[in-house]
Amino acid sequence: MILTGPEITAAAEDGRLRITPFAPDQVNPNSYNVRLGPTLLTYTTDVLDAHQPNPTAESVIGPDGYVLQPGQLYLGHTLEQVGSDLFVPLLFGRSSVGRLGLFVEITAPIGDIGFHGQWTLMLTPIRPLRVYAGMRIGQIMFFASTGPITPYGGKYQASTGPQPSAYWRDVTGFRAVAS
């Protein structure tokens, strides 16, 4: 079952889910709008390697916005910290943003029960697009779970700001390559 807007509000008020900061005007009929945080990361090498950390460059979205370029993956983040120990969160781009040609969170929309933090957003534009910190970029829906719960305790827990891939931590026998 999906939580309705009034139930999202009630769950945020009684602590069954956390959205910080919480703004009542961000509540939709069955989702909550999340806003784009001020920091973007881009990878700085032409070839990414899943078995080692990849270098990134950080950009800050200024008051005049930031122009995203096609062919580039941007790692952004939600302004809000979101999480729940009871509900399964799913994050999708807002349709208004999709109609501007920006793909948001296409490959990894599901969050784990027990994750709490800012969500990293995978942003890919199909044409140059100016974005702004604080703009409503996505929406999170919450689903009730059934069965025993094992809370998330993984590598992205309590994230602040955009997080590059840490897939390399999952590789058995990993040895970091000196950078």
Side-chain angles (χ1 to χ4, degrees):
M1 296 187 318
I2 188 171
L3 271 61
T4 63
E7 188 61 19
I8 291 170
T9 299
E13 289 173 352
D14 67 22
R16 290 177 288 147
L17 65 86
R18 285 184 278 182
I19 302 172
T20 306
F22 181 84
D25 66 339
Q26 300 284 93
V27 178
N28 297 316
N30 59 335
S31 64
Y32 185 89
N33 286 326
V34 289
R35 296 167 291 168
L36 180 60
T39 307
L40 298 171
L41 290 181
T42 53
Y43 291 106
T44 58
T45 58
D46 290 335
V47 177
L48 299 178
D49 188 335
H51 283 198
Q52 66 181 5
N54 291 281
T56 59
E58 181 176 299
S59 299
V60 175
I61 302 172
D64 295 329
Y66 186 93
V67 178
L68 305 178
Q69 297 295 328
Q72 178 67 51
L73 169 66
Y74 297 87
L75 300 177
H77 65 96
T78 60
L79 186 64
E80 294 82 5
Q81 293 188 12
V82 180
S84 176
D85 293 331
L86 297 173
F87 303 113
V88 178
L90 271 82
L91 188 147
F92 295 97
R94 295 183 69 229
S95 63
S96 296
V97 172
R99 292 172 192 179
L100 292 171
L102 181 61
F103 295 107
V104 177
E105 217 61 29
I106 296 301
T107 64
I110 192 166
D112 286 312
I113 294 174
F115 170 82
H116 296 274
Q118 292 178 328
W119 284 50
T120 294
L121 306 171
M122 284 78 65
L123 306 172
T124 307
I126 62 166
R127 61 185 302 169
L129 175 65
R130 186 178 304 275
V131 295
Y132 300 87
M135 70 183 279
R136 294 176 184 184
I137 193 117
Q139 53 191 348
I140 293 186
M141 297 179 286
F142 298 92
F143 291 83
S145 59
T146 60
I149 294 173
T150 302
Y152 176 80
K155 57 190 169 278
Y156 301 113
Q157 184 65 282
S159 293
T160 301
Q163 302 297 307
S165 175
Y167 181 88
W168 54 270
R169 291 184 181 169
D170 299 335
V171 178
T172 305
F174 168 75
R175 289 195 182 123
V177 175
S179 301

